Amino acid sequence: MTATADAIVIGGGSTGCSIAYHLASRGLKVLLMERRHIASGSTGSSPGIIRQYYSDPVVSLLARESLLCFQSWKEELGGDCGFVRTGFLTGSSGIDTDRMVTNVQLRQRQGIRIEFLTPSEMQKLQPDMITDGLGGGAYEPDAGYCDTVATTSTLVAAFRRHGGTVIEGKSVTRIRVSGGRVLGVETSMDIIDAPIVVNAAGPWAPQLAGTIGNQLPIHVSRHSVTMLGPTARRMLDEQVGYAELAARFYLRPDQHNRCLVGSLDAGDSIETDPDACDPVVGCETAARYRDRAATRFRRLVGAPIRYGWASFFDDTPDGNPIVGQDPGVSGSFVAAGMSGHGFKLCPVLGRGIAEMIVLGRTELPIEHFSLGRFSKYDRSDSRKQTGADVPDVSGSE
Ligand SMILES: Cc1cc2nc3c(=O)[nH]c(=O)nc-3n(C[C@H](O)[C@H](O)[C@H](O)COP(=O)(O)OP(=O)(O)OC[C@H]3O[C@@H](n4cnc5c(N)ncnc54)[C@H](O)[C@@H]3O)c2cc1C
């Protein structure tokens, strides 16, 4: 007998788990399908930085709404997402500093707690900071990070409590469509009927979209993270998160006086096949990342390298996600192309797409992320911009 559901969500990353939870909590019979295990994609490798300073006002607004969700996670989800407030500082130099001052004022008008700091104020905040060449920084005291695996597992637990079913270890091989309508999905073993299918397969979303003849403008690239420490001085109490485009790195504190460092250098973002991505980060790369971070923070000079890992970004041409209904196929939805900043948005993207499906509308401005905006792009070229936080850390635009 063919299995049936009201909706099938493909992909057990933070995006798919949030969508599945929000759909089930609105009374739908939902199947969450994951080819490996929950959080086995880029979600499980993400430092999970939660910050709100973006040049795109919609991204900032949604990041602010999401931060409120992370802060009250236990009340809604009944479990801990591991949110740790560290504060986050974005450094700027040259002409970017004038833009940053303007951007900070715009974000303040959106209700975001953020202030512009001069280099000497930055140094007061981070006493071991080397501020040479800096024009200032945007400081968000409420920013922090989450445990991405704990976040997804609490979403899945809440999803199950609402009657949702999780199928792990089974790959969807095809989305089934007939007469312009979604019929369900096919796996190597069975077919499942559903009038709604959400493609939240992250870097694999383009492959799945291809099974219904759609081309998603998503380019997959490999990104590495290095864990450093412990350093001689306590880090967690002292060190805020930091990102700077000119210095080509971002950093966030971690437990036990350690920190994670990633690259903001486009040269380190390497096009990759998500099925052939090498997760190992060599000592040379790790030392290069550490030495970049040490140009700003004295405590990181010669800091011990613990280990590193690599995963992938699913980048779109404008560095923003693709979220919404597929205009060509009724019942088909996409939530992918998170461009390196999708974890922090998962609470609101999940709610927004569930409201669109169940109510036919949402007050969240996720229309901003519709696939239709790319009609002006050549969809075969998704490499017009490197993704992630990169375009935004300078506060440019
Ligand atoms: C190094 C790194 C640093 C990052 N830093 C941050 C950060 O600081 N802050 C932030 O907000 N974001 C960050 N991100 C981005 C963030 O991790 C992701 O955008 C976010 O986790 C959303 O992922 P996702 O659920 O869309 O995709 P994924 O987590 O990749 O999930 C997709 C899932 O779909 C499954 N799947 C694929 N194909 C199929 C199929 N055919 N059938 C069934 N299942 C399938 C996969 O196995 C996978 O589990 C970072 C990412 C990386 C790699």
Side-chain angles (χ1 to χ4, degrees), residues 255-301:
Q255 298 170 28
H256 312 301
N257 305 340
R258 296 183 296 211
C259 74
L260 306 184
V261 179
S263 171
L264 292 178
D265 184 333
D268 292 320
S269 144
I270 302 152
E271 184 172 4
T272 192
D273 169 356
D275 290 315
C277 174
D278 180 1
V280 177
V281 172
C283 295
E284 209 180 294
T285 304
R288 197 155 41 85
Y289 284 19
R290 175 197 58 196
D291 295 346
R292 266 183 218 164
T295 61
R296 284 287 175 231
F297 297 101
R298 286 193 180 86
R299 77 194 72 180
L300 297 180
V301 175

Side-chain angles (χ1 to χ4, degrees), residues 195-271:
I196 304 285
V197 172
V198 186
N199 178 355
W204 295 270
Q207 285 173 21
L208 270 172
T211 67
I212 53 172
N214 276 350
Q215 206 183 357
L216 295 179
I218 292 173
H219 155 70
V220 181
S221 56
R222 180 179 180 273
H223 285 258
S224 307
V225 174
T226 294
M227 179 178 275
L228 303 178
T231 55
R233 297 168 60 187
R234 291 203 66 220
M235 291 180 78
L236 192 60
D237 291 341
E238 295 175 354
Q239 184 141 4
V240 299
Y242 184 78
E244 185 192 336
L245 200 55
R248 297 174 294 136
F249 77 95
Y250 68 89
L251 164 160
R252 79 139 167 92
D254 197 37
Q255 298 170 28
H256 312 301
N257 305 340
R258 296 183 296 211
C259 74
L260 306 184
V261 179
S263 171
L264 292 178
D265 184 333
D268 292 320
S269 144
I270 302 152
E271 184 172 4

Side-chain angles (χ1 to χ4, degrees), residues 11 13-15 34-35 42-43 46-47 49 172 313 338 340 342-344:
S14 54
T15 308
E34 166 53 51
R35 65 179 200 154
S42 52
T43 296
S46 170
I49 297 168
V172 171
F313 284 2
M338 295 295 148
F343 176 76
K344 66 175 67 63

Side-chain angles (χ1 to χ4, degrees), residues 206 215-223 266-267 269-273 313-320 322 337 339 374 377-388 390-391:
Q215 206 183 357
L216 295 179
I218 292 173
H219 155 70
V220 181
S221 56
R222 180 179 180 273
H223 285 258
S269 144
I270 302 152
E271 184 172 4
T272 192
D273 169 356
F313 284 2
D314 44 347
D315 294 324
T316 64
D318 62 5
N320 274 339
I322 296 172
S339 302
F374 292 118
Y377 288 95
D378 170 4
R379 286 199 186 180
S380 62
D381 180 9
S382 53
R383 275 166 286 168
K384 292 216 163 79
Q385 199 175 66
T386 55
V390 179

